Amino acid sequence: MNILASTVDVWTMVSVVVYLLIVVYLGWLGFKRTKTAADYMVAGREAHPLIMALSYGATFISTSAIVGFGGVAGLFGMSLLWLTMLNIFMGIFIAFVFIGGPTRRMGHRLDAHTFPELLGRRFDSKFIQVFAGGTIFLFMPLYAAAVLIGGTKYFATQLGVDYNAGLFIFSVITATYVLMGGLKGVMYTDALQGGIMFVGMAILMVWTYVKVGGVVPSHQYLTDMAPLVPSKLAAIGHQGWTAMPKFGWGGPQYNLWWTVVTTIVMGVGIGVLAQPQLALRFMTVKSKRELNRAVPTGGIFILAMTGVAFTVGALSNVYFNQHGDPLTGRVIKSINEAKGFAVLQIVKKDETGAWVDVVDAKGEGKKAPVTLTKDAALGIKVIDNKEFPIVQGRSISVVYAGGDAEQIIPTYITKAMPKWFGIVFLLTLLSAAMSTLSSQFHALGTGIGRDVYEQITGKHNNTMFVVRIGIIIGFVIAMLWSYYSAQSSIIIARATAIFFGLCASAFMPTFFGGLFFKRMTKAAAISSMIVGFAITTCWLLLVKAQEAGALGLVEKLTNGKDSLLAGKANWPVVDQLIVALPVSILVAIVVSLFTQPPSKEHLHKCFGEK
Amino acid sequence: MLGIQDKWVSLAYILSIVSTLLCVIYGFINWNKGDDEVD
């Protein structure tokens, strides 16, 4: 067994090294072909549709989606498929068919090289460009940290190193690569990485459905497991892994619905339309035809990524309930005797050979919902003169993942998939992380270099130096986030949703208004961005319990509460997007109506003849 | 439907696949359109 393990380690290392060499070669190829600012910033505006589609998809989908949101699906179930639907319908179809064309046209007309520059030039405002560039520079590290944590959690499991060592290795590999080239190199490597991701996830989907008994039988088995939902999750509205959480407004039994629908589904599903690093991709093609040709690849790619990750995450419960290592314990509650569903108090033998209860970190008895095996009792435990048979049962994913939802996918891959797939999946996640991180830091670097430094100083000679310093600072911040917040509950999904939601609230009304409404004014764009940004940050600091509680400001203001609206219906779990985006849109409309419309000359410059 | 307990979850499962098909069909119908837009 040890020989096999060490052989796999050699193969793992060889695969990673070969993969990195190919990535470095493609990055160098792109670097060699990068001659102008347009090459560095928008890949020379001549990207091939297949490369553009894979680059868009690989940038969009990261370890956050696969490990973070896949793990959330393992915990909350298939209700996350609404996010897959929005990812494909909004993130690909609406984005490419309705947003991509106007973005590409206006980007070319105004010779914009970055997303903030597009907004700034459309409204003839230096402030907008600086504000958007600064926002990206400050908040992108949060999203990058989500990607780093997702990659590191699997990387560390697969290589058998601890989390901090994994984080360091993973960060150094990706930072070196990110600093190398501009968008041309990034897009070449994205296409390779997108291909690897597609193959890895396709194998995972087929293998999983075969392993758990086929499409409909596995779904039915998962449906029948509903009574095994842990009581803490049932109390906030979890009704099973193939059901939506309980819908309503008021009591804590509706909290999960508001978390899943407003933060996880809408936060990311709508926020995708105003992602700076994705909107930039539309400016890299030379005509609408390339966008049309990119749509099929984009749609299939996203289905193969999030559709597979969320379905496999949920179905991992079936695998563990059928094939997981049996847990040993005494029944403390029978849920359904006919089906063998029960809650076990986990036990182990002490040094004298007697059965003793296992306790968790808080000193409470460790319990697990299980399906009991048909095997005979292993022994007897006597408590208060009562005899309890010691039995075995198989539990659900989150129990096997040690209570950490974000370990569900790594644990599933390690336990359920063959050894060779561990290497394929390692490359899949490495690809997913690197393709997203490179674009995040490309956006962050150009945000601080071109959008902030150049606009404020008026100098153009040191931009690339500022870009690279910005990337290094951003990387250090992202690593610190990853180091300090890795243990926080479902942090990957939350951090991603915060960034996507912020982009939606601060940028979307200005972006869409700029593309489609000639009447929108500079004052309206500035007001909308500031209001969207302010409401988002205030909501996170003062209302959203998980974030406000962790940040600590609201506790000082309210003597220990985790939200200003604690106890007021479901407000503490409602996402900031639900409040910030409508207000931001309303401000854009109202201010436009009361301010001077832009000049005809300026509109002609932005929109041309049509 | 499909062994899934809740019709809203089945709908999400089906709509994800339908959206993908929509992308594929749109792309192939418009494969050669849009190059007059050429900057």
Side-chain angles (χ1 to χ4, degrees):
Chain A
M1 188 65 200
N2 283 340
I3 294 170
L4 178 67
S6 60
T7 311
V8 166
D9 281 347
V10 169
W11 279 111
T12 303
M13 299 318 282
V14 167
S15 308
V16 169
V17 168
V18 169
Y19 162 80
L20 290 173
L21 286 174
I22 296 171
V23 164
V24 167
Y25 171 71
L26 286 172
W28 177 76
L29 207 65
F31 183 69
K32 227 176 75 169
R33 293 178 184 180
T34 296
K35 289 168 184 157
T36 65
D39 281 343
Y40 186 89
M41 308 260 180
V42 287
R45 302 193 196 279
E46 288 189 328
H48 187 279
L50 182 67
I51 297 223
M52 185 269 184
L54 282 173
S55 173
Y56 182 97
T59 298
F60 182 8
I61 301 301
S62 65
T63 46
S64 164
I66 299 170
V67 173
F69 286 78
V72 171
L75 188 63
F76 298 152
M78 293 170 98
S79 53
L80 260 77
L81 285 173
W82 280 107
L83 177 56
T84 297
M85 198 284 279
L86 283 183
N87 284 160
I88 299 165
F89 187 70
M90 302 287 269
I92 300 293
F93 188 75
I94 297 290
F96 278 62
V97 174
F98 298 105
I99 314 293
T103 305
R104 188 204 69 79
R105 272 200 305 271
M106 195 173 283
H108 284 218
R109 257 186 206 113
L110 299 174
D111 197 29
H113 290 71
T114 65
F115 181 74
E117 190 166 66
L118 177 72
L119 300 183
R121 290 189 176 183
R122 163 64 181 87
F123 291 105
D124 198 17
S125 162
K126 200 179 268 194
F127 173 83
I128 287 179
Q129 186 172 350
V130 172
F131 184 82
T135 301
I136 292 166
F137 178 71
L138 287 175
F139 284 86
M140 190 67 95
L142 182 67
Y143 178 25
V147 177
L148 278 176
I149 295 169
T152 301
K153 284 198 174 183
Y154 183 73
F155 204 72
T157 309
Q158 180 72 11
L159 296 185
V161 294
D162 79 356
Y163 176 83
N164 294 335
L167 178 64
F168 182 75
I169 298 167
F170 197 69
S171 300
V172 167
I173 290 174
T174 45
T176 310
Y177 154 75
V178 165
L179 283 168
M180 270 177 44
L183 198 62
K184 239 183 188 175
V186 164
M187 287 183 76
Y188 286 166
T189 49
D190 278 359
L192 166 80
Q193 289 161 340
I196 292 173
M197 289 160 71
F198 186 85
V199 170
M201 296 305 276
I203 295 171
L204 181 62
M205 176 88 274
V206 173
W207 196 280
T208 297
Y209 266 132
V210 168
K211 198 90 179 168
V212 293
V215 176
V216 175
S218 63
H219 294 171
Q220 189 58 55
Y221 191 99
L222 188 60
T223 296
D224 295 341
M225 283 174 64
L228 293 177
V229 169
S231 54
K232 277 182 186 172
L233 289 176
I236 57 170
H238 197 320
Q239 303 191 101
W241 288 275
T242 62
M244 291 298 289
K246 197 171 187 180
F247 171 66
W249 178 256
Q253 70 272 32
Y254 307 124
N255 275 352
L256 186 60
W257 191 93
W258 289 95
T259 299
V260 167
V261 174
T262 67
T263 297
I264 292 173
V265 173
M266 293 175 74
V268 176
I270 293 174
V272 65
L273 290 175
Q275 285 293 295
Q277 72 281 19
L278 296 181
L280 182 72
R281 293 289 183 281
F282 298 134
M283 297 196 256
T284 64
V285 292
K286 65 179 178 185
S287 80
K288 179 76 164 65
R289 188 180 64 180
E290 276 68 30
L291 289 175
N292 289 341
R293 290 182 176 187
V295 172
T297 311
I300 293 168
F301 184 83
I302 300 296
L303 180 70
M305 294 298 121
T306 64
V308 170
F310 303 166
T311 306
V312 167
L315 288 175
S316 67
N317 287 290
V318 175
Y319 172 81
F320 285 117
N321 200 253
Q322 291 175 342
H323 309 287
D325 297 334
L327 304 173
T328 304
R330 59 188 171 85
V331 173
I332 53 172
K333 183 185 170 190
S334 176
I335 301 171
N336 181 329
E337 215 159 317
K339 290 184 174 175
F341 294 160
V343 177
L344 285 189
Q345 161 60 53
I346 306 298
V347 299
K348 63 174 182 184
K349 281 188 173 176
D350 66 7
E351 53 274 21
T352 65
W355 292 104
V356 292
D357 289 357
V358 175
V359 293
D360 61 18
K362 292 176 187 168
E364 294 170 1
K366 197 173 174 185
K367 301 174 186 69
V370 298
T371 302
L372 296 169
T373 60
K374 308 286 185 202
D375 305 333
L378 298 175
I380 298 288
K381 180 175 169 62
V382 179
I383 302 174
D384 297 337
N385 294 327
K386 272 188 179 175
E387 291 188 342
F388 290 91
I390 300 299
V391 291
Q392 290 195 310
R394 293 189 173 89
S395 189
I396 57 175
S397 300
V398 71
V399 170
Y400 288 97
D404 178 359
E406 287 162 353
Q407 284 291 2
I408 288 177
I409 295 287
T411 306
Y412 174 74
I413 301 295
T414 311
K415 298 279 186 190
M417 300 297 285
K419 280 278 185 193
W420 60 265
F421 185 78
I423 301 173
V424 173
F425 197 70
L426 181 67
L427 295 184
T428 299
L429 286 191
L430 210 51
S431 296
M434 288 170 78
S435 55
T436 303
L437 285 165
S438 58
S439 296
Q440 287 171 331
F441 285 104
H442 182 269
L444 180 149
T446 54
I448 195 71
R450 189 172 178 99
D451 299 319
V452 176
Y453 170 78
E454 277 191 12
Q455 291 303 310
I456 289 177
T457 63
K459 292 178 185 169
H460 297 263
N461 47 354
N462 287 328
T463 302
M464 284 313 298
F465 176 72
V466 176
V467 165
R468 294 208 159 103
I469 291 293
I471 287 174
I472 291 168
I473 293 170
F475 227 106
V476 170
I477 296 170
M479 277 184 73
L480 290 172
W481 273 107
S482 308
Y483 178 75
Y484 285 109
S485 61
Q487 300 313 315
S488 186
S489 163
I490 61 167
I491 184 68
I492 300 175
R494 283 164 49 211
T496 305
I498 288 171
F499 183 76
F500 274 64
L502 174 68
C503 288
S505 304
F507 301 149
M508 195 187 279
T510 299
F511 180 36
F512 285 12
L515 291 180
F516 301 111
F517 301 105
K518 294 180 180 177
R519 182 65 181 78
M520 181 142 169
T521 65
K522 175 175 167 178
I526 292 173
S527 318
S528 161
M529 285 174 83
I530 291 173
V531 165
F533 180 87
I535 293 178
T536 298
T537 45
C538 289
W539 198 267
L540 285 169
L541 277 171
L542 302 173
V543 179
K544 188 92 183 290
Q546 260 194 315
E547 282 74 24
L551 293 167
L553 175 66
V554 74
E555 279 185 24
K556 286 174 184 160
L557 295 174
T558 60
N559 290 330
K561 287 182 180 174
D562 59 4
S563 167
L564 273 185
L565 299 178
K568 303 267 194 300
N570 302 101
W571 284 113
V573 294
V574 171
D575 196 75
Q576 55 278 8
L577 176 90
I578 300 299
V579 179
L581 181 58
V583 174
S584 174
I585 292 170
L586 194 64
V587 165
I589 294 169
V590 171
V591 176
S592 283
L593 292 175
F594 287 97
T595 46
Q596 195 71 30
S599 71
K600 280 187 176 172
E601 293 75 27
H602 179 67
L603 288 176
H604 178 75
K605 190 177 151 192
C606 297
F607 290 91
E609 310 302 337
K610 288 177 186 174
Chain B
M1 200 194 296
L2 294 167
I4 292 171
Q5 173 184 346
D6 187 333
K7 62 178 184 294
W8 290 103
V9 177
S10 318
L11 187 64
Y13 192 96
I14 292 163
L15 284 180
S16 299
I17 295 167
V18 169
S19 300
T20 306
L21 291 174
L22 182 67
C23 289
V24 172
I25 293 164
Y26 174 88
F28 286 119
I29 287 176
N30 294 287
W31 192 257
N32 285 318
K33 291 177 188 166
D35 62 342
D36 54 334
E37 245 196 23
V38 185
D39 294 343

